[in-house]
Amino acid sequence: MRPEGTNGTSGGELLVPMAWMYAEYIADELLRTGDLMPPTTLEFRAGRNALALTIFLSDGAVGGARVVARLDEWSSLTAAGRPWHGWVRERLREREAAGSGPDLALARDAWRWLEETELLAADLDAVVPGGVDPRAEAEDEPRVWTPAWELGLPLGHLAIHLF
């Protein structure tokens, strides 16, 4: 990533987005451990971006055994019915007000992708208990276009629980 500027404490060197990269690494590991989908899918990317944003915006990632201590916090933030979407928007605004940097730029890019990308997913509102024929082909299921964050968030939440 190109530096946004060369003044400050970097000594004119390339600014490296370590906080974002570490949050993304932890999110990637959680999803891979959960083995919910192949890492090459857009669904995996949605889950990784949602988890990375959660980790990054919850005051950053931590290393080693302290990651396990943060799992409950991340699980709570990604739980169904929680205002995660609004929480992300507010935390990004707070971070932007405090200044910008390469970490924040990558977080904004991930958020933009999650908001602007739609994925074709099963329509859970159309599923009626007992109304699904287990012999039916997957293509016969009702599907809708869903914002990537709405699909990635529950996948990330599930990955935390499977860790």
Side-chain angles (χ1 to χ4, degrees):
M1 170 172 220
R2 297 187 60 104
E4 293 182 6
T6 56
N7 55 355
T9 60
S10 68
E13 296 177 16
L14 182 67
L15 299 176
V16 179
M18 290 305 295
W20 175 257
M21 289 171 56
Y22 193 55
E24 198 172 47
Y25 167 77
I26 291 171
D28 193 79
E29 287 299 309
L30 287 170
L31 282 164
R32 286 176 190 269
T33 300
D35 197 25
L36 298 171
M37 72 224 40
T40 57
T41 64
L42 289 174
E43 291 84 356
F44 185 92
R45 180 179 177 187
R48 185 185 61 223
N49 281 355
L51 271 177
L53 276 168
T54 303
I55 294 165
F56 177 73
L57 295 173
S58 66
D59 297 326
V62 293
R66 293 181 43 205
V67 167
V68 175
R70 302 285 303 270
L71 289 176
D72 286 339
E73 176 188 358
W74 300 332
S75 177
S76 174
L77 289 167
T78 59
R82 299 293 295 233
W84 184 83
H85 188 263
W87 177 81
V88 170
R89 287 175 176 263
E90 181 61 29
R91 295 295 290 213
L92 282 172
R93 273 194 295 272
E94 290 171 6
R95 293 277 178 106
E96 288 169 351
S100 64
D103 293 302
L104 187 56
L106 289 174
R108 276 192 308 243
D109 287 345
W111 180 239
R112 190 176 308 110
W113 186 86
L114 284 168
E115 280 197 308
E116 295 175 358
T117 302
E118 291 190 343
L119 304 174
L120 192 59
D123 184 1
L124 298 180
D125 293 331
V127 175
V128 178
V132 177
D133 182 1
R135 297 167 293 180
E137 296 293 322
E139 293 82 30
D140 295 338
E141 294 176 0
R143 297 171 114 22
V144 294
W145 288 101
T146 306
W149 74 267
E150 286 184 16
L151 184 60
L153 188 61
L155 291 173
H157 182 76
L158 182 56
I160 291 169
H161 284 282
L162 293 174
F163 184 71

